[in-house]
């Protein structure tokens, strides 16, 4: 039976309901609170002159609207989401229940520390667990996402060189050509010039190219290991030595930590700084712009021996400490050598509680087994795809992969005109989430696939079978894949039109004015 996604002619919520219709009444303020707070008088200058144009719906209309929308979406609770590098593994519901406990969600960021000792103990333990997992000495839970953690990391590199009085010459960050796009972006935001080095035929950093790029201007190197090609960097110890010889710092992009966790640690490879994605590796949800967490950990490398400054003194945001004398957990706010606050308050606590629950449930052996299963899944899929016409592997095709694998659909595109985007649409049509396509940039017609540890053997086999079926259809009737997807709530869109700034519709008001002919496209 063919897979079909629900397709409702669902309007946006502003087009539903009727004036005066009510679905929920906000409770009146209790008399006790009125008595305590007194009458609240807002200055006229901040009062609205007219009511907000909010949708007016009954409860059942709201419920049906969002149920219809959820039936037209796809997530990890529906099926595999093997979106390479930014993948989504199953999010255990016990962790969600803990993270959304009202005793966590209803806390105020300015709440007295004495009233949140349990939560502070969890964060204290989480810092230490993460430091142990990545082989570092100290962590901060402050950054709000993985890319935010990257920015924190390169700001630490910058501060390190400032405190050593050498920032005038330390101007460059080296980044491999297989890196995540956020690495060069973070480096540029921190004021560094980005120097790209190429990969060799086995998918490692080209050591001779690296040596040619390194100089006294090198402030550091950012690298993810395993790489976005899904392969372990075989020369990482030599790379660390080369960078440290010019007093550069080695930064670990922790997006792919789930490919090595429990087997080796960035701190043992020579890394000085590491960020960790709580999503994916530690199971909190990813994507959708929701609150994230990107803890950053460091080796306690000496920065200034005379002043006693260590790399941990440069960490941003508040950290949790335990006061032995008072037997209490406390927040330690950034000191004079810290890169400071990167956001308001402590950090995004909900995903951190999620990750804490996951780590506690798995234990050290369970985390190691999660890595094993992720790597086994990747290589089982690699075995299923061996010799399939239309797809090929660049960079060390004979090598085992870690957490993910990047196939190229270039042979298929060259021989039939069916490209990586068409393949992705064909996967959607069979009830799968599409892979990351056209990334990393060094692989033409890239299909980046990551099943993680939580996907079933049967689904991996179905996915491989669908890729083979797509190739067969492409060679028999290359026009057919251009019509995909047919079974999803939304068919193929005009990607150029959808991405063009002229068509950006930021608000309901803009949408309505355009519909009424009172506002044109952006110029």
């Amino acid at each position: 039976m063919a897979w079909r996604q629900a397709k409702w002619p669902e309007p946006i919520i502003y087009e539903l309901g009727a004036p005066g219709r009510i679905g929920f009444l906000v409770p009146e303020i209790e008399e006790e609170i009125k008595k305590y707070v007194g009458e609240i008088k807002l200055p006229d200058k901040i009062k609205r002159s007219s009511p907000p144009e909010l949708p007016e719906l009954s409860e059942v209309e709201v419920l049906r609207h969002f149920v219809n929308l959820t039936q037209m979406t796809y997530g990890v609770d529906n099926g595999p989401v093997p979106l390479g590098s930014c993948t989504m593994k199953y999010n255990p519901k016990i962790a969600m229940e803990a993270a959304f406990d009202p005793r966590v969600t209803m806390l105020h960021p300015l709440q007295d520390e004495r009233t949140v000792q349990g939560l502070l103990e969890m964060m204290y333990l989480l810092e230490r667990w993460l430091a142990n997992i990545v082989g570092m000495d100290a962590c901060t839970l402050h950054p709000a996402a993985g890319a935010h953690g990257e920015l924190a990391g390169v700001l630490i590199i910058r501060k390190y060189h400032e405190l050593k009085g050498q920032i005038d010459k330390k101007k460059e960050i080296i980044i491999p050509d297989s890196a995540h796009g956020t690495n060069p972006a973070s480096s540029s935001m921190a004021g560094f010039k980005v120097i790209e080095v190429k990969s060799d035929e086995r998918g490692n950093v080209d050591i001779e190219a690296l040596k040619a790029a390194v100089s006294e201007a090198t402030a550091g190197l950012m690298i993810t290991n395993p790489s976005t090609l899904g392969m372990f960097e075989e020369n990482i110890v030599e790379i660390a030595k080369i960078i440290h010889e010019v007093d550069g710092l080695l930064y670990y992009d922790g997006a792919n930590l789930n490919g090595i966790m429990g087997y080796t640690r960035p701190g043992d490879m020579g890394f000085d700084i590491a960020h960790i994605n709580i999503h994916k590796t530690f199971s909190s949800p990813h994507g959708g712009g929701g609150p994230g967490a990107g803890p950053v950990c460091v080796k306690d490398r000496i920065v200034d021996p005379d002043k006693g400054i260590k790399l941990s003194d440069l960490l941003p945001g508040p950290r949790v400490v335990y006061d032995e004398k008072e037997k209490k957990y406390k927040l330690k706010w950034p000191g004079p050598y810290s890169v400071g606050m990167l956001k308001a308050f402590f950090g995004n606590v909900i995903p951190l509680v999620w990750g804490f629950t996951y780590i506690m449930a798995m234990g050290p052996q369970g985390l190691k087994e999660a890595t094993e299963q992720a790597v086994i899944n990747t290589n089982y899929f690699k075995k299923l795809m061996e010799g399939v016409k239309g797809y090929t592997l660049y960079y060390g095709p004979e090598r085992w992969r870690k957490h993910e694998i990047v196939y190229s659909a270039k042979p298929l595109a060259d021989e039939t005109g069916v490209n990586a985007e068409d393949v992705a649409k064909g996967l959607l049509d069979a009830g799968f989430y599409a892979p990351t396509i056209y990334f990393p940039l060094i692989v033409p017609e890239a299909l980046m696939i990551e099943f993680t540890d939580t996907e079933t053997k049967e689904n991996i086999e179905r996915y491989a079978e669908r890729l083979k079926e797509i190739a067969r259809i492409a060679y028999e009737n290359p026009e057919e894949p251009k019509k995909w997807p047919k079974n999803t709530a939304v068919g193929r869109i005009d990607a150029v039109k959808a991405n063009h700034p002229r068509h950006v519709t930021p608000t309901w008001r803009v949408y309505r004015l355009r519909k009424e002919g009172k506002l044109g496209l952006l110029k």
Side-chain angles (χ1 to χ4, degrees):
M1 185 169 61
W3 177 83
R4 294 282 189 280
Q5 191 171 41
K7 187 174 184 178
W8 299 99
E10 191 65 25
I12 63 175
I13 199 165
Y14 284 88
E15 296 172 316
L16 294 170
R21 192 168 294 169
I22 296 173
F24 176 72
L25 288 173
V26 179
E28 291 287 333
I29 301 173
E30 292 89 340
E31 289 301 322
E32 185 182 353
I33 295 176
K34 284 182 182 176
K35 185 178 176 182
Y36 184 79
V37 176
E39 186 181 357
I40 299 174
K41 293 182 178 178
L42 295 177
D44 289 339
K45 64 179 181 182
I46 68 170
K47 287 183 180 176
R48 296 189 66 96
S49 57
S50 59
E53 296 181 27
L54 297 176
E56 297 174 82
L57 292 84
S58 64
E59 180 176 314
V60 69
E61 286 177 294
V62 173
L63 185 66
R64 287 171 180 166
H65 175 69
F66 286 106
V67 167
N68 286 349
L69 291 182
T70 59
Q71 290 176 346
M72 292 194 290
T73 60
Y74 183 99
V76 75
D77 289 349
N78 298 104
V81 184
L83 185 71
S85 261
C86 295
T87 193
M88 172 80 89
K89 74 179 186 183
Y90 177 69
N91 313 130
K93 300 305 176 232
I94 184 67
M96 182 177 74
E97 190 169 333
F100 285 90
D101 188 307
R103 289 171 293 182
V104 174
T105 59
M106 299 304 287
L107 292 176
H108 192 282
L110 294 177
Q111 197 153 331
D112 192 316
E113 290 172 0
R114 291 173 298 180
T115 66
V116 290
Q117 284 296 296
L119 181 68
L120 290 179
E121 182 180 5
M122 291 169 67
M123 298 299 105
Y124 178 84
L125 290 172
L126 182 60
E127 278 189 20
R128 274 138 193 82
W129 289 351
L130 293 176
N132 188 266
I133 289 169
V134 295
M136 297 286 172
D137 298 312
C139 302
T140 175
L141 306 178
H142 177 62
H148 204 205
E150 284 184 29
L151 177 62
V154 286
L155 288 175
I156 290 171
I157 294 176
R158 183 172 190 85
K159 193 74 173 181
Y160 170 84
H161 294 300
E162 285 176 357
L163 290 170
K164 297 191 78 170
Q166 56 190 23
I167 192 61
D168 287 344
K169 64 176 182 179
K170 294 292 186 182
K171 298 288 189 184
E172 299 174 352
I173 295 283
I174 298 175
I175 297 176
D177 60 3
S178 63
H180 291 112
T182 46
N183 290 177
S186 300
S187 299
S188 295
M189 287 178 69
F192 291 108
K193 179 182 177 183
V194 175
I195 306 296
E196 184 179 277
V197 292
K198 66 177 183 177
S199 301
D200 65 18
E201 292 180 351
R202 286 181 58 78
N204 297 311
V205 170
D206 187 311
I207 291 296
E208 293 308 313
L210 176 64
K211 289 178 179 175
V214 169
S215 71
E216 288 303 312
T218 302
L221 182 145
M222 299 180 79
I223 185 171
T224 182
N225 190 17
S227 70
T228 60
L229 296 168
M231 290 185 282
F232 189 82
E233 173 53 61
E234 297 171 309
N235 302 313
I236 189 61
V237 174
E238 184 178 359
I239 290 171
K241 182 173 181 290
I242 292 170
I243 297 302
H244 287 155
E245 282 177 348
V246 293
D247 199 18
L249 295 182
L250 195 61
Y251 178 91
Y252 181 79
D253 176 336
N256 300 332
L257 179 65
N258 62 325
I260 59 170
M261 179 173 58
Y263 276 86
T264 185
R265 309 187 302 177
D268 299 336
M269 301 176 207
F271 284 91
D272 304 291
I273 306 167
H275 95 256
I276 299 166
N277 288 342
I278 294 298
H279 63 263
K280 188 167 86 167
T281 302
F282 299 109
S283 93
S284 76
H286 177 250
V296 172
C297 305
V298 295
K299 280 285 191 186
D300 228 355
R301 181 177 176 141
I302 298 296
V303 179
D304 187 327
D306 297 331
K307 295 179 180 176
I309 305 172
K310 297 179 180 178
L311 212 51
S312 58
D313 296 316
L314 280 55
L315 286 169
R319 297 176 58 207
V320 182
V321 295
Y322 184 67
D323 189 321
E324 289 284 354
K325 188 176 179 182
E326 297 185 25
K327 305 297 181 188
K328 283 187 173 58
Y329 295 94
K330 296 181 176 180
L331 289 179
K332 178 185 176 184
W333 294 87
Y337 306 114
S338 164
V339 300
M341 298 289 286
L342 299 182
K343 68 187 291 295
F345 302 114
F346 176 75
N348 287 332
V349 168
I350 287 178
L352 294 172
V353 172
W354 198 305
F356 175 88
T357 310
Y358 177 79
I359 294 172
M360 189 167 65
M362 297 290 280
Q365 188 59 37
L367 294 178
K368 186 176 181 182
E369 288 177 9
T371 298
E372 288 173 0
Q373 193 59 54
V375 174
I376 288 171
N377 284 352
T378 304
N379 289 290
Y380 179 56
F381 175 68
K382 180 175 184 279
K383 200 69 181 173
L384 293 173
M385 289 294 293
E386 275 184 4
V388 178
K389 187 179 180 183
Y391 308 103
T392 191
L393 281 174
Y394 283 73
Y395 300 101
E398 76 287 355
R399 291 183 62 186
W400 297 110
R401 264 53 178 178
K402 295 296 182 189
H403 62 295
E404 66 190 357
I405 189 165
V406 183
Y407 275 96
S408 169
K410 189 172 186 302
L412 194 69
D414 290 345
E415 294 163 13
T416 70
V418 174
N419 57 27
E421 182 180 6
D422 301 324
V423 173
K425 303 302 184 190
L427 288 164
L428 293 178
D429 241 4
F432 294 108
Y433 201 89
T436 298
I437 56 175
Y438 299 108
F439 182 81
L441 302 178
I442 55 176
V443 177
E445 300 292 339
L447 299 165
M448 190 187 207
I449 300 162
E450 179 178 5
F451 289 104
T452 77
D453 53 297
T454 60
E455 206 44 72
T456 65
K457 176 174 177 285
E458 293 78 14
N459 275 337
I460 295 169
E461 291 167 350
R462 287 179 54 231
Y463 196 91
E465 284 303 312
R466 179 57 180 169
L467 283 172
K468 295 173 187 176
E469 184 180 42
I470 289 170
R472 178 181 58 76
I473 294 171
Y475 282 105
E476 291 175 359
N477 180 12
E479 294 302 314
E480 180 63 19
K482 300 294 180 184
K483 303 172 185 173
W484 296 337
K486 297 178 178 178
N487 300 329
T488 52
V490 178
R492 188 177 294 219
I493 60 173
D494 184 335
V496 175
K497 183 179 178 181
N499 286 289
H500 198 285
R502 288 188 69 200
H503 299 277
V504 170
T505 307
T507 65
W508 154 249
R509 190 171 288 118
V510 170
Y511 171 78
R512 189 188 64 195
L513 291 173
R514 280 192 186 146
K515 203 171 180 181
E516 294 171 354
K518 297 177 180 176
L519 187 68
L521 298 174
L522 296 176
K523 296 181 181 178

